[in-house]
Amino acid sequence: MSEFAIVHRSALAPAPRVASHRIAIIALPEGHVVQVFERAPGADLLAVLADAAGTAPHAVRTAGPGQWFIVGDEPLPRDTFLDLANALGPHAATVDQSHGRVRIRVEGTVVERMLAKGTAIDLDIGAFPVGHSAATLLGHVSVHLTRLDATAFEIMVLRGFASSLWEGLERMSAEFG
Amino acid sequence: MASLISCPHCGARPKEEFTIKGAVLPRPDAGAGSEAWMDYVYRRDNPRGAYREYWHHTSGCRRWLVVTRDTASHEVAACQDAALAKRAEAQP
Ligand SMILES: [Zn+2]
């Protein structure tokens, strides 16, 4: 047994929200992030993943060939994670990344213009519809982007880059304040 | 233009998202001898024109790709997933 208790600290405390009338940057709860890797290439796992992930919208995100993230706002107790891993076991390997990745919501009427300062991908809703995900560079930081609705995206980032990315997002949003 | 690479999984992305490993060469057998390994590890033709290279989509899908590009004009002729291309070659 460890001689001291491990204390969970939020990566982005204590200022998890910046907002103006056109753009808002909001730190999402550090709930759960589960990375999923298919066992056999080419199997269509979307139905299995949707079943395992529950009913929250956009809980399953694509992350390249044969890889997905299952995300949510609630922490995932060990037993619940093991149930999920067992349910997916025949089809996919699962890794609990809840401690390692942080999610930030950005929203507002100018959200594409703000994000376009950092990434080269086409964020127009025709090319990047609601529910679509992409791994890309935002400035010099690797992120995983998901469109949540017409004027909102979620950015998932490795925990150690979260506060640096947050400062970048603030600077990218400054002109819209 | 080589500054935009069309990843077969992600679409057109800037070259900053990729890491280039270098020429696509057949790997010698473990016991092939120091001359063959010297060739494989160090010696390159550095051609002017068509060149096949391994590119890793580091800040995207994280897949290894085979990019065929022209070293003079920077035009990209083809971009394939390395593992899928190899699998297709193995079972024609
Ligand atoms: Zn890619």
Side-chain angles (χ1 to χ4, degrees):
Chain A
M1 278 293 281
S2 167
E3 303 207 345
F4 55 90
I6 294 172
V7 181
H8 180 86
R9 292 194 179 87
S10 295
L12 291 169
R17 188 187 176 96
V18 172
S20 74
H21 64 295
R22 285 197 290 174
I23 195 90
I25 314 166
I26 302 153
L28 292 172
E30 289 186 17
H32 63 272
V33 176
V34 177
Q35 198 168 11
V36 181
F37 304 87
E38 70 181 2
R39 291 199 190 278
D44 186 6
L45 297 189
L46 275 181
V48 179
L49 291 169
D51 242 23
T55 51
H58 314 307
V60 179
R61 284 95 189 267
T62 56
Q67 292 188 40
W68 297 267
F69 287 108
I70 295 175
V71 308
D73 289 346
E74 298 75 36
L76 202 61
R78 187 76 190 149
D79 290 348
T80 318
F81 169 73
L82 290 176
D83 288 347
L84 178 68
N86 286 333
L88 292 175
H91 314 281
T94 44
V95 183
D96 189 356
Q97 287 273 308
S98 309
H99 63 290
R101 292 178 199 246
V102 169
R103 299 179 301 131
I104 300 170
R105 181 185 172 101
V106 287
E107 64 184 15
T109 50
V110 292
V111 70
E112 290 107 328
R113 281 171 60 195
M114 187 273 278
L115 289 174
K117 295 177 185 180
T119 182
I121 58 179
D122 187 353
L123 298 172
D124 183 84
I125 194 156
F128 204 114
V130 174
H132 188 76
S133 293
T136 185
L137 267 187
L138 201 59
H140 292 284
V141 180
S142 291
V143 300
H144 186 263
L145 268 184
T146 301
R147 186 178 214 120
L148 300 175
D149 65 45
T151 57
F153 288 83
E154 187 182 299
I155 308 168
M156 186 158 60
V157 65
L158 288 171
R159 183 184 176 89
F161 288 98
S163 68
S164 167
L165 178 68
W166 183 275
E167 286 170 21
L169 292 170
E170 280 187 314
R171 272 199 298 278
M172 286 153 70
S173 303
E175 67 160 309
F176 307 115
Chain B
M1 274 293 285
S3 52
L4 275 185
I5 299 295
S6 281
C7 172
H9 306 297
C10 305
R13 296 296 183 92
K15 70 168 180 14
E16 286 75 11
E17 290 193 359
F18 298 83
T19 309
I20 309 174
K21 175 178 178 277
V24 175
L25 299 170
R27 189 181 171 86
D29 290 333
S34 57
E35 194 57 19
W37 277 99
M38 183 75 186
D39 261 6
Y40 174 72
V41 176
Y42 294 111
R43 295 189 184 120
R44 295 293 177 268
D45 292 337
N46 193 21
R48 179 181 171 86
Y51 203 39
R52 290 179 80 222
E53 285 167 317
Y54 286 121
W55 286 52
H56 186 236
H57 196 181
T58 317
S59 294
C61 59
R62 303 195 60 83
R63 297 286 291 194
W64 280 101
L65 310 175
V66 174
V67 175
T68 308
R69 69 183 179 97
D70 189 304
T71 57
S73 70
H74 300 306
E75 260 175 87
V76 175
C79 185
Q80 298 168 285
D81 182 289
L84 297 181
K86 200 168 188 180
R87 210 173 295 150
E89 270 171 37
Q91 1 172 282

